[in-house]
Structures are given as structure tokens and as C-alpha cells.
Amino acid sequence: MKQTYFTAGPAELYPTVYQHLQTAMDEQIGSISHRSAKFRSIYQFCDEQLRELLTIPESHGIFFTGSASEVWERILLNCVEHESFHLVNGSFSKKFCDYATALQKYAHKQEKPFGEGFDYSEIEVPEYAELIAVTHNETSSGVQMRPVDIHKLKRSHAKKLIAVDMVSSAPFPDLDFSLVDTAFFSVQKAFGLPAGLGVWIANEKCLEKAETLKHGDQHIGAHNNLPTLWKNYKTFETPATPNVLFIYLLGKIAQDFNRVGVENLRRETEEKAKMLYKFVESHPQFSPFVKNDRHRSRTVVVANTQKPSSEIISKVKESGMVVGSGYGQLKDTQIRIANFPATDVEQIGRLIDVLGKI
């Protein structure tokens, strides 16, 4: 039986991936050189579609890495000389902070219990922190930070760089990139592609910081450092051989999203999220893990379960659907349901019907 994946990543493939992949095979995209004119046109097309989708200004470059996790290291090496500041409220925001410590940066952090979110009014940024690291959507706990709070944070600390993890939410958050210095995501979540490509968006202020550190004999990384990425980006090339096939596919999916319209995607995401939260609030077998509505993720819904989550996951799978377990220590007492563009209102409704009978 073919399954529908409501997992937080890898997730359900977007319906048009199959036809785009067939076209890519027909055009032998997997064999072309990354120094060819054909690749440069693929990179440029992907760049243009992502700019339109996310409203990315010309002051920002768009680069490709092996994963979003790699971008944590790139940002810390290229944008932090001594001190970073991290808002930690889940496993992935904690890992970003841990990377800073591993790279021998002084990593300040403000931490909330698992499942709680941050509001602008409670955030205290250390004076000497050079970069503020925020997670728009914490995949592990189903918590989101409102874009308005992210924007306020930058306005209040204009001289500091701000980095936004939008791994499991892009393109849902309506971020103002004039107030976001750098952001990143991976393609295996809301973009509905297989895993294997990270996308790093960074502005000229990040580039200036990286060049300053480099000229000051600071180690900014030998592989995929920002000045080298940016130099190649000017001609839509990459320093090393990238995942050409996935860059092609990402450009096509971003074009599909633009045809639907990002506002329509956001409205449908909100509609599906409301359906899911209404269900888990009203059903005796479930309850929402994140108590505060304004902090609840719209793209990864986390529910506490009365029964062991493995039983629920198994029953759902019998109906041709796959939901995720809780993260880490909460694996057995929670389920996580991804609410990405690849699954529509009808499919979410069918999932709710099945969960309601368990």
C-alpha cells in the first residue's frame, strides 16, 4: 500500500516532483557540469523563484549546502568572532548552540522548557553577542516564534546579526528579509523533496563580517566559506560540485508554489492547522503539547497521547498514512504531524477521521 507521509522530514513528496524528476532524467541533468551554461541557468532560475516566493531582496545571496545542519557551522564560522546568543527551546535550537561551543565560541543562551515559546518582551540579549540565533519553528517540540517578534528583536538590536532557522516551516513564515541577516532551510520538509540539499540565505552584512574575520586571520572554514560562495554566486556557480539535480528540482517546486501563490499556501496551512488543533483539543485520546496558541507551530503539530504513540502510529499506518513519534524522551507519549503543502485539506481530514477512531 502506498503511504501518505505526515512526518516532519523526510516528508511527503510534493505531487509534481515525479514529473519534474522524469524531465530531469530526460534532459540528463544528473550528468551536466556545474561549470556549464546549463547549470548556471538552473541556479539562476532557482534563485529567481526563491526570491519571488520568499520576497528576498537583492542584498541577500542564496547558496547551497549539503544540509541545513551544515549551515549552523557556516554561520558561526563566518559571522561570529567571539560570542553568539541562542534562544533555546528544543533539540534543534540546542544543537545550534552546541555547535557554537564546539567551535570555541562563547555561546550565551536563554532557555525555555521543551514546548514553550519566546515572546520579544522577555528576551534579554547579551551586550557583546555578535549574532542572535532564533528558531522560527522548533521541529522537535512543535513551537513557533512569531515573525513580528523576530522583526522586533532585530529592530532593537540593529547592529547585531540575526539568524533564523526556518528549516521545518519555509515558505510559511512571512519574514521581512530587510530585518533578517541570514536564514536557512532544507528541502525535505515543506518543499516536499528528498533529503540532500540545504539552502543558505545571507546578506551583505554577513559577507562583510566574514571578510573582516578572514583578513584578521580568523578561521572561517576551508569549505563553503561565505566569501568563496559569494564570489562564485556572482556568476551562478558553486565552489565545489553541488547537488545539481536537487537544485533543479527545488527551482521547479518553488515555481509551482509561486503559481499557487505563497499567500494561498499560507492560508491553506493555517486552515489545516486549525483542523488539527481543533481535533487534538476535543478528542479524549489527545491533547496539544504546546499550551499557548500563539506559540503553536502551524507546520509541525505535536499532540500528547493517552495510548503509547507506537500503537497509534501502527493503526494509522494500516490506513495508508504515516505520522511521526514524539522527539527524544517524548517518543512514546506524543505524535508529530507535519502540515506541509504536499498534503491538502482533504488528506488532513482523512487523517483526522482515522485518528478519531483509534
Side-chain angles (χ1 to χ4, degrees), residues 58-209:
E58 292 300 319
S59 55
H60 293 57
I62 302 174
F63 316 104
F64 301 111
T65 63
S67 68
S69 300
E70 179 188 336
V71 181
W72 289 336
E73 184 168 282
R74 301 287 150 248
I75 289 173
L76 291 163
L77 286 172
N78 287 265
C79 300
V80 178
E81 183 176 8
H82 299 297
E83 300 183 28
S84 59
F85 172 60
H86 302 257
L87 296 178
V88 175
N89 62 345
S91 298
F92 293 96
S93 49
K94 183 179 184 298
K95 284 182 181 180
F96 196 172
C97 186
D98 290 344
Y99 271 44
T101 302
L103 292 169
Q104 299 182 329
K105 310 297 181 182
Y106 190 91
H108 303 268
K109 66 178 177 180
Q110 187 171 334
E111 194 162 7
K112 278 288 193 76
F114 207 80
E116 293 186 17
F118 288 98
D119 293 315
Y120 163 75
S121 59
E122 64 187 330
I123 298 169
E124 299 178 5
V125 181
E127 181 180 358
Y128 295 109
E130 301 151 64
L131 177 131
I132 303 168
V134 305
T135 302
H136 170 258
N137 193 81
E138 177 51 75
T139 317
S140 62
S141 59
V143 173
Q144 280 189 358
M145 186 171 181
R146 295 177 301 176
V148 65
D149 289 321
I150 296 172
H151 299 156
K152 285 179 181 178
L153 192 56
K154 174 62 178 182
R155 288 191 181 102
S156 299
H157 303 279
K159 292 184 179 180
K160 300 182 189 298
L161 298 174
I162 191 163
V164 180
D165 178 337
M166 52 193 306
V167 167
S168 54
S169 57
F172 174 73
D174 188 7
L175 290 176
D176 181 351
F177 275 90
S178 70
L179 297 169
V180 172
D181 298 291
T182 182
F184 54 95
F185 61 88
S186 50
V187 300
Q188 74 271 22
K189 298 181 185 284
F191 280 86
L193 287 166
L197 186 70
V199 180
W200 182 17
I201 303 160
N203 68 6
E204 291 164 347
K205 291 180 181 178
C206 294
L207 175 62
E208 290 168 9
K209 183 64 178 277

Side-chain angles (χ1 to χ4, degrees), residues 111-343:
E111 194 162 7
K112 278 288 193 76
F114 207 80
E116 293 186 17
F118 288 98
D119 293 315
Y120 163 75
S121 59
E122 64 187 330
I123 298 169
E124 299 178 5
V125 181
E127 181 180 358
Y128 295 109
E130 301 151 64
L131 177 131
I132 303 168
V134 305
T135 302
H136 170 258
N137 193 81
E138 177 51 75
T139 317
S140 62
S141 59
V143 173
Q144 280 189 358
M145 186 171 181
R146 295 177 301 176
V148 65
D149 289 321
I150 296 172
H151 299 156
K152 285 179 181 178
L153 192 56
K154 174 62 178 182
R155 288 191 181 102
S156 299
H157 303 279
K159 292 184 179 180
K160 300 182 189 298
L161 298 174
I162 191 163
V164 180
D165 178 337
M166 52 193 306
V167 167
S168 54
S169 57
F172 174 73
D174 188 7
L175 290 176
D176 181 351
F177 275 90
S178 70
L179 297 169
V180 172
D181 298 291
T182 182
F184 54 95
F185 61 88
S186 50
V187 300
Q188 74 271 22
K189 298 181 185 284
F191 280 86
L193 287 166
L197 186 70
V199 180
W200 182 17
I201 303 160
N203 68 6
E204 291 164 347
K205 291 180 181 178
C206 294
L207 175 62
E208 290 168 9
K209 183 64 178 277
E211 289 177 333
T212 298
L213 295 179
K214 183 180 179 181
H215 294 147
D217 293 326
Q218 181 93 5
H219 176 57
I220 62 169
H223 179 65
N224 278 347
N225 65 59
L226 194 50
T228 305
L229 284 167
W230 205 294
K231 179 183 176 182
N232 283 265
Y233 173 66
K234 289 179 180 178
T235 54
F236 293 108
E237 293 187 10
T238 56
T241 309
N243 192 331
V244 177
L245 175 60
F246 279 27
I247 294 170
Y248 170 85
L249 293 173
L250 177 59
K252 293 297 185 181
I253 295 299
Q255 182 184 45
D256 292 336
F257 284 3
N258 283 322
R259 285 171 174 158
V260 173
V262 70
E263 290 305 322
N264 291 327
L265 286 175
R266 288 168 179 158
R267 276 195 294 271
E268 186 171 270
T269 299
E270 288 280 7
E271 180 184 353
K272 293 184 294 175
K274 287 177 181 176
M275 291 169 62
L276 287 165
Y277 282 116
K278 182 179 179 181
F279 168 75
V280 299
E281 284 179 321
S282 60
H283 196 283
Q285 288 292 330
F286 302 95
S287 63
F289 176 53
V290 180
K291 303 308 178 188
N292 193 323
D293 181 68
R294 70 177 179 275
H295 295 149
R296 286 178 184 168
S297 170
R298 270 44 181 175
T299 55
V300 181
V301 175
V302 179
N304 299 318
T305 61
Q306 293 295 317
K307 296 179 180 179
S309 61
S310 57
E311 289 185 21
I312 295 167
I313 292 167
S314 179
K315 286 289 185 182
V316 169
K317 195 168 186 179
E318 289 174 7
S319 298
M321 292 172 280
V322 182
V323 297
S325 64
Y327 196 87
Q329 293 181 339
L330 298 172
K331 178 181 179 181
D332 298 327
T333 59
Q334 292 182 347
I335 58 170
R336 289 183 297 159
I337 303 169
N339 177 25
F340 298 147
T343 53

